[in-house]
PDB file of all heavy atoms in Angstrom:
ATOM      1  N   GLY A 171      -3.302   8.487  13.183  1.00 94.00           N
ATOM      2  CA  GLY A 171      -3.891   8.834  11.888  1.00 94.00           C
ATOM      3  C   GLY A 171      -5.389   8.563  11.852  1.00 94.00           C
ATOM      4  O   GLY A 171      -6.160   9.394  11.353  1.00 94.00           O
ATOM      5  N   PHE A 172      -5.816   7.431  12.411  1.00 96.00           N
ATOM      6  CA  PHE A 172      -7.235   7.114  12.447  1.00 96.00           C
ATOM      7  C   PHE A 172      -7.986   8.096  13.353  1.00 96.00           C
ATOM      8  O   PHE A 172      -9.098   8.544  13.029  1.00 96.00           O
ATOM      9  CB  PHE A 172      -7.446   5.686  12.948  1.00 96.00           C
ATOM     10  CG  PHE A 172      -7.277   4.637  11.896  1.00 96.00           C
ATOM     11  CD1 PHE A 172      -6.623   3.461  12.161  1.00 96.00           C
ATOM     12  CD2 PHE A 172      -7.767   4.841  10.611  1.00 96.00           C
ATOM     13  CE1 PHE A 172      -6.462   2.467  11.204  1.00 96.00           C
ATOM     14  CE2 PHE A 172      -7.610   3.866   9.625  1.00 96.00           C
ATOM     15  CZ  PHE A 172      -6.942   2.690   9.936  1.00 96.00           C
ATOM     16  N   LEU A 173      -7.414   8.429  14.523  1.00 96.00           N
ATOM     17  CA  LEU A 173      -8.073   9.355  15.428  1.00 96.00           C
ATOM     18  C   LEU A 173      -8.174  10.752  14.816  1.00 96.00           C
ATOM     19  O   LEU A 173      -9.183  11.453  14.987  1.00 96.00           O
ATOM     20  CB  LEU A 173      -7.299   9.408  16.751  1.00 96.00           C
ATOM     21  CG  LEU A 173      -7.413   8.153  17.639  1.00 96.00           C
ATOM     22  CD1 LEU A 173      -6.510   8.277  18.839  1.00 96.00           C
ATOM     23  CD2 LEU A 173      -8.857   7.900  18.053  1.00 96.00           C
ATOM     24  N   LEU A 174      -7.108  11.164  14.099  1.00 95.00           N
ATOM     25  CA  LEU A 174      -7.154  12.466  13.430  1.00 95.00           C
ATOM     26  C   LEU A 174      -8.257  12.502  12.385  1.00 95.00           C
ATOM     27  O   LEU A 174      -9.004  13.492  12.257  1.00 95.00           O
ATOM     28  CB  LEU A 174      -5.801  12.760  12.807  1.00 95.00           C
ATOM     29  CG  LEU A 174      -5.669  14.044  11.990  1.00 95.00           C
ATOM     30  CD1 LEU A 174      -6.010  15.264  12.867  1.00 95.00           C
ATOM     31  CD2 LEU A 174      -4.282  14.189  11.402  1.00 95.00           C
ATOM     32  N   GLU A 175      -8.371  11.440  11.622  1.00 92.00           N
ATOM     33  CA  GLU A 175      -9.414  11.355  10.613  1.00 92.00           C
ATOM     34  C   GLU A 175     -10.791  11.379  11.270  1.00 92.00           C
ATOM     35  O   GLU A 175     -11.732  12.029  10.786  1.00 92.00           O
ATOM     36  CB  GLU A 175      -9.257  10.103   9.766  1.00 92.00           C
ATOM     37  CG  GLU A 175     -10.270   9.926   8.645  1.00 92.00           C
ATOM     38  CD  GLU A 175     -10.141  10.968   7.569  1.00 92.00           C
ATOM     39  OE1 GLU A 175      -9.191  11.782   7.609  1.00 92.00           O
ATOM     40  OE2 GLU A 175     -10.979  10.989   6.651  1.00 92.00           O
ATOM     41  N   ALA A 176     -10.944  10.681  12.422  1.00 93.00           N
ATOM     42  CA  ALA A 176     -12.209  10.656  13.137  1.00 93.00           C
ATOM     43  C   ALA A 176     -12.568  12.056  13.641  1.00 93.00           C
ATOM     44  O   ALA A 176     -13.732  12.472  13.558  1.00 93.00           O
ATOM     45  CB  ALA A 176     -12.140   9.686  14.291  1.00 93.00           C
ATOM     46  N   ALA A 177     -11.583  12.781  14.166  1.00 93.00           N
ATOM     47  CA  ALA A 177     -11.839  14.145  14.654  1.00 93.00           C
ATOM     48  C   ALA A 177     -12.261  15.042  13.506  1.00 93.00           C
ATOM     49  O   ALA A 177     -13.184  15.851  13.658  1.00 93.00           O
ATOM     50  CB  ALA A 177     -10.579  14.679  15.322  1.00 93.00           C
ATOM     51  N   ARG A 178     -11.617  14.902  12.351  1.00 90.00           N
ATOM     52  CA  ARG A 178     -11.986  15.706  11.198  1.00 90.00           C
ATOM     53  C   ARG A 178     -13.415  15.430  10.753  1.00 90.00           C
ATOM     54  O   ARG A 178     -14.208  16.349  10.483  1.00 90.00           O
ATOM     55  CB  ARG A 178     -11.037  15.414  10.022  1.00 90.00           C
ATOM     56  CG  ARG A 178     -11.276  16.267   8.790  1.00 90.00           C
ATOM     57  CD  ARG A 178     -10.568  15.730   7.576  1.00 90.00           C
ATOM     58  NE  ARG A 178     -11.124  14.470   7.145  1.00 90.00           N
ATOM     59  CZ  ARG A 178     -12.224  14.343   6.403  1.00 90.00           C
ATOM     60  NH1 ARG A 178     -12.924  15.415   6.049  1.00 90.00           N
ATOM     61  NH2 ARG A 178     -12.669  13.152   6.046  1.00 90.00           N
TER      62      ARG A 178
END
Side-chain angles (χ1 to χ4, degrees):
F172 279 139
L173 289 175
L174 177 58
E175 182 67 5
R178 183 194 68 81

